[in-house]
Amino acid sequence: MDNLEKLWRIVDVNQNRLSEGLRILEEIARLYLENETLTLRLKNLRHALTLQDTASNCHLLFSRQADTDIGAHLKTVDQSKPETLFSLISANAKRAEQSLRVLEEFAGLLELGLDTSIYSRGRFELYTLEKDLAAILLRKNRRDMIKGLYVAIDVDYLAGRDIPRVTKEVLEGGCRLVQLRAKTASARQFLSLALSLKELCIEYGAVFIVNDRLDIALACGADGLHLGQTDLPLSQARCLMPAGSIIGISADSPEDAASAQAGDADYVAAGAVFPTQTKLDVLYGGLSGLKAIRQVVNIPLVAIGGINKSNYNEALQAGADSLCLISAVLGAPDIKKATSEFMTLVEAEKND
């Protein structure tokens, strides 16, 4: 093999590695995330970076010597396989990015006569695609956690109690979905609590959602934001929240729920399903209202209002994916025990 063939061999190896890495990212976008926009972006990039002319493809093919490649048998000290989709995305994006850098450098050699600019543009486009793909996966993972028990830590209801301690008991009881609600707290008080609860949720692997306040959600790095019908519009909140965040919307009617889904909400919360003393100004929609909303949305549906051990199964049977509780857990003598018992009941009902 002469020196020119060796140069084409380098291009061939890196073109193959590039295509393989991009194809794996494309399959995640297409078949796992089912995201048409991201899939098309990855597909277009893959095709744009594939050499199209016959002469170049002949050089690549006839320079290939996979059977004598000394690198085929070399292993690094730690060459473990990716264990999560996030690590799979990272590994294959880095694989493709490194190949693009090699191609960019070698394409500039006069002997090859290739266009370096396509590899340079492709590399920077892939940096953005990697970020977007990871953000969409993170948002999906958080949305998938809108199920089972959802506890709203209501500062006004707890009236002077140790909020972080109460939250810790909820988390120790097994709940992995927590919302902080502080209607009458000052911005500084709200933020201080939000920062504390966010740290606890990280420790327990729970999703942390802030009620109403976009500024607090942004300042504490919350996983999500919950908005009512009179709060900031969903479209504006989506523009301002980080790409991997989730946003839930309170829906008083099927029309509100359908609008929320069309606006790209991650879940809707409907209630009050049963009479409640926690929020007296909430409309009482009942089980019929919950069922009506279930019929018009396919995103996660959270039931809220008056839910307890005697009626929780009715809300689940009406179509709720998750039950948002306040007094049934926070008003119990043993919060950890009450949370654990509800977790067991809800999981058994969903698996029945």
Side-chain angles (χ1 to χ4, degrees), residues 149-169:
L149 193 61
Y150 182 171
V151 175
I153 305 296
D154 191 317
V155 175
D156 293 338
Y157 176 81
L158 289 168
R161 293 170 64 182
D162 188 329
I163 305 299
R165 181 183 293 276
V166 168
T167 305
K168 187 177 180 67
E169 291 180 51

Side-chain angles (χ1 to χ4, degrees), residues 26-39 136 140:
E26 186 181 327
E27 296 301 274
I28 293 172
R30 181 170 71 98
L31 301 174
Y32 185 79
L33 295 175
E34 298 181 322
N35 188 294
E36 184 175 349
T37 301
L38 202 54
T39 300
I136 291 171
K140 180 186 184 305

Side-chain angles (χ1 to χ4, degrees), residues 80-281:
S80 57
K81 296 291 184 181
E83 295 181 349
T84 67
L85 272 178
F86 282 106
S87 57
L88 188 64
I89 288 171
S90 178
N92 282 280
K94 295 295 181 290
R95 178 186 186 188
E97 289 158 4
Q98 290 166 6
S99 296
L100 281 168
R101 186 61 186 183
V102 173
L103 289 165
E104 184 180 346
E105 295 294 332
F106 279 87
L109 297 176
L110 294 177
E111 298 97 312
L112 297 178
L114 298 174
D115 183 1
T116 63
S117 65
I118 64 169
Y119 300 118
S120 176
R121 290 195 303 269
R123 183 162 53 86
F124 282 95
E125 185 174 350
L126 185 53
Y127 291 151
T128 301
L129 277 164
E130 179 187 4
K131 177 184 175 182
D132 292 347
L133 189 57
I136 291 171
L137 177 60
L138 177 59
R139 182 178 167 192
K140 180 186 184 305
N141 287 350
R142 286 169 170 167
R143 178 189 285 205
D144 288 347
M145 291 182 71
I146 308 295
K147 60 183 179 181
L149 193 61
Y150 182 171
V151 175
I153 305 296
D154 191 317
V155 175
D156 293 338
Y157 176 81
L158 289 168
R161 293 170 64 182
D162 188 329
I163 305 299
R165 181 183 293 276
V166 168
T167 305
K168 187 177 180 67
E169 291 180 51
V170 167
L171 294 168
E172 288 180 344
C175 181
R176 293 297 176 263
L177 186 55
V178 170
Q179 178 189 130
L180 177 60
R181 177 183 294 169
K183 296 287 187 180
T184 60
S186 68
R188 290 193 178 189
Q189 290 170 329
F190 201 157
L191 178 58
S192 178
L193 287 172
L195 289 168
S196 297
L197 270 57
K198 171 62 180 175
E199 288 300 313
L200 282 171
C201 286
I202 290 174
E203 180 183 346
Y204 284 87
V207 171
F208 177 60
I209 296 173
V210 166
N211 181 262
D212 291 350
R213 296 287 296 271
L214 172 68
D215 57 337
I216 302 297
L218 291 172
C220 75
D223 302 313
L225 174 69
H226 186 87
L227 297 171
Q229 289 296 313
T230 59
D231 294 325
L232 188 72
L234 172 59
S235 59
Q236 296 299 314
R238 180 64 74 197
C239 290
L240 295 169
M241 287 289 285
S245 305
I246 57 174
I247 301 178
I249 300 293
S250 293
D252 298 329
S253 67
E255 292 75 21
D256 288 342
S259 176
Q261 178 171 280
D264 201 25
D266 293 285
Y267 72 91
V268 292
V273 178
F274 304 104
T276 175
Q277 295 300 311
T278 305
K279 295 187 71 177
L280 299 177
D281 59 337

Side-chain angles (χ1 to χ4, degrees), residues 264-309:
D264 201 25
D266 293 285
Y267 72 91
V268 292
V273 178
F274 304 104
T276 175
Q277 295 300 311
T278 305
K279 295 187 71 177
L280 299 177
D281 59 337
V282 172
L283 294 175
Y284 174 50
L287 292 170
S288 60
L290 187 64
K291 291 177 182 177
I293 288 174
R294 175 76 288 170
Q295 291 176 353
V296 300
V297 297
N298 53 31
I299 58 176
L301 173 57
V302 178
I304 187 169
I307 299 170
N308 54 47
K309 290 180 181 178

